[in-house]
Amino acid sequence: MAKKKQEETLSPEEQQTRLFNKAKSSVLVNGNLMGKALDKQDLTLALKYCSIMLSEFRTSLLTPQKYYELTTIAFDELLNLEMYFFDEYKRGRKVEELYEIVQHCGNIVPRLYMLITVGAVYIKSLQAPAKDILNDLVHMCKGVQNATRGLFLRNYLSRVCKDKLPDKGSRYEGAGGTVVDAIDFILKNFNEMVMLWIRLQNQGPVKHREKQEKERMDLRILVGTNLVRLSQLEGVHLGMYTENVLPRVLKVIVNCKDRIAQQYLLECIIQVFPDTYHINTLDKLLSSTLELQ
């Protein structure tokens, strides 16, 4: 009872700090235990500790900013798991087998994080076409519809797969797909992240709407990074941008019907793509503004 009274007297900031420190401790402890299990080649035990670690992402108590800090710590721990999976592949193990093993995790949030991790190694191994694995992962992420959890899950997907796209001149081009497949993957993820990002605005009471709007703006870079990924693709030349990329990006922006999102994403387009592209597509950009909120 005394503990409950003490928690009630804490300010919202102090409560967030306490919740974050508890979650951070769990991530570090279980991440360390996972690492020790991997050193002993005990994958079953390692995945158990990894699942417990990633279960901290199921919380709805942390603010988006604190959730972001937590994921940053956990993503570092997941690097150890990714390295282990790759070492197993080099020792002759089929990545498809590892891909199947992690799907036995009971809860969907930890399971998808582990699937993305092993999926990145699956692509790197060239044991399956990159486009198939990317399509599989981006589709399975739809299983998490909570705005905060879904947004950060897809951010992890984008982050881990950024150098494994079948872009022009990459080792994944050809049998693994083409730049069109890379564009499709990024835009599918982008569309879902825009929707999740907008829904952050509607989490919690209406009286906190201004605070929620600020928190959402703090996370805008997670969504905008998708447009940066598109601009960095070697295969996206002016013709591809004009016919394939820009119309689809503008469609997402118009259809989201959110003033803040539309303003930010249009600014992103202007900033990340070359000026020559904008000069050649000025009519498309201007006509789209007539449909904005």
Side-chain angles (χ1 to χ4, degrees):
M1 183 68 72
K3 185 179 178 182
K4 187 176 180 182
K5 272 191 173 181
Q6 184 183 11
E7 288 180 351
E8 288 175 352
T9 60
L10 294 176
S11 68
E13 291 76 18
E14 290 171 330
Q15 290 176 7
Q16 279 297 303
T17 299
R18 173 172 289 190
L19 289 167
F20 171 75
N21 287 338
K22 183 179 178 182
K24 176 184 175 181
S25 176
S26 175
V27 166
L28 292 174
V29 168
N30 287 290
N32 183 50
L33 291 171
M34 177 187 72
K36 290 180 178 179
L38 292 175
D39 290 340
K40 296 176 181 177
Q41 300 290 306
D42 191 339
L43 181 58
T44 301
L45 186 60
L47 293 180
K48 173 188 172 183
Y49 287 125
C50 185
S51 180
I52 296 171
M53 175 184 78
L54 294 171
S55 290
E56 294 298 331
F57 289 169
R58 298 172 60 193
T59 182
S60 298
L61 300 176
L62 292 175
T63 62
Q65 191 59 43
K66 287 296 183 184
Y67 196 98
Y68 174 81
E69 293 178 37
L70 185 66
T71 60
T72 301
I73 299 167
F75 289 175
D76 289 339
E77 298 292 340
L78 283 173
L79 276 176
N80 295 326
L81 184 63
E82 183 180 346
M83 290 169 61
Y84 175 84
F85 284 143
F86 190 67
D87 288 341
E88 283 291 279
Y89 152 68
K90 289 194 293 185
R91 284 191 283 264
R93 194 166 186 176
K94 288 186 176 180
V95 188
E96 183 181 5
E97 179 189 346
L98 297 170
Y99 199 62
E100 291 293 329
I101 289 173
V102 299
Q103 296 192 48
H104 294 295
C105 175
N107 187 270
I108 190 169
V109 173
R111 180 167 73 245
L112 286 175
Y113 273 100
M114 288 189 283
L115 267 173
I116 292 169
T117 304
V118 72
V121 176
Y122 206 167
I123 295 171
K124 197 173 179 179
S125 73
L126 301 178
Q127 292 183 358
K131 63 179 181 180
D132 292 346
I133 303 301
L134 292 170
N135 188 59
D136 197 24
L137 293 173
V138 80
H139 178 73
M140 284 194 290
C141 284
K142 287 187 176 182
V144 178
Q145 285 298 306
N146 175 275
T148 302
R149 297 172 206 166
L151 185 64
F152 281 95
L153 176 68
R154 288 185 176 278
N155 174 57
Y156 181 66
L157 173 63
S158 174
R159 174 176 172 170
V160 168
C161 295
K162 67 180 180 180
D163 59 347
K164 300 172 182 69
L165 304 175
D167 188 14
K168 180 182 177 182
S170 80
R171 65 192 296 260
Y172 309 108
E173 189 187 22
T178 67
V179 68
V180 174
D181 297 304
I183 292 169
D184 287 345
F185 165 73
I186 294 173
L187 286 177
K188 284 177 183 175
N189 206 43
F190 171 65
N191 182 51
E192 294 293 332
M193 287 184 75
V194 170
M195 296 300 107
L196 291 165
W197 181 51
I198 290 171
R199 280 170 50 196
L200 283 175
Q201 181 72 30
N202 301 316
Q203 290 191 160
V206 176
K207 64 181 180 180
H208 296 153
R209 189 57 49 86
E210 187 176 333
K211 178 186 175 185
Q212 291 159 356
E213 184 174 301
K214 181 184 181 301
E215 289 176 344
R216 180 158 74 102
M217 287 301 292
D218 289 340
L219 299 180
R220 63 190 182 278
I221 191 171
L222 300 183
V223 184
T225 298
N226 290 280
L227 297 179
V228 175
R229 299 267 189 270
L230 281 173
S231 70
Q232 292 172 339
L233 291 175
E234 292 293 333
V236 176
H237 48 71
L238 178 57
M240 181 73 73
Y241 174 79
T242 304
E243 300 301 325
N244 193 335
V245 175
L246 183 61
R248 294 169 67 183
V249 172
L250 290 177
K251 183 178 179 181
V252 172
I253 295 174
V254 170
N255 288 345
C256 79
K257 301 186 184 303
D258 180 87
R259 177 182 57 81
I260 293 174
Q262 289 176 338
Q263 180 178 342
Y264 168 68
L265 294 173
L266 277 177
E267 289 173 358
C268 277
I269 292 175
I270 294 168
Q271 289 174 9
V272 303
F273 289 102
D275 290 342
T276 53
Y277 286 22
H278 302 318
I279 292 171
N280 284 275
T281 56
L282 192 57
D283 56 332
K284 286 185 171 63
L285 275 173
L286 292 176
S287 62
S288 70
T289 60
L290 299 176
E291 303 179 66
L292 303 182
Q293 297 297 307

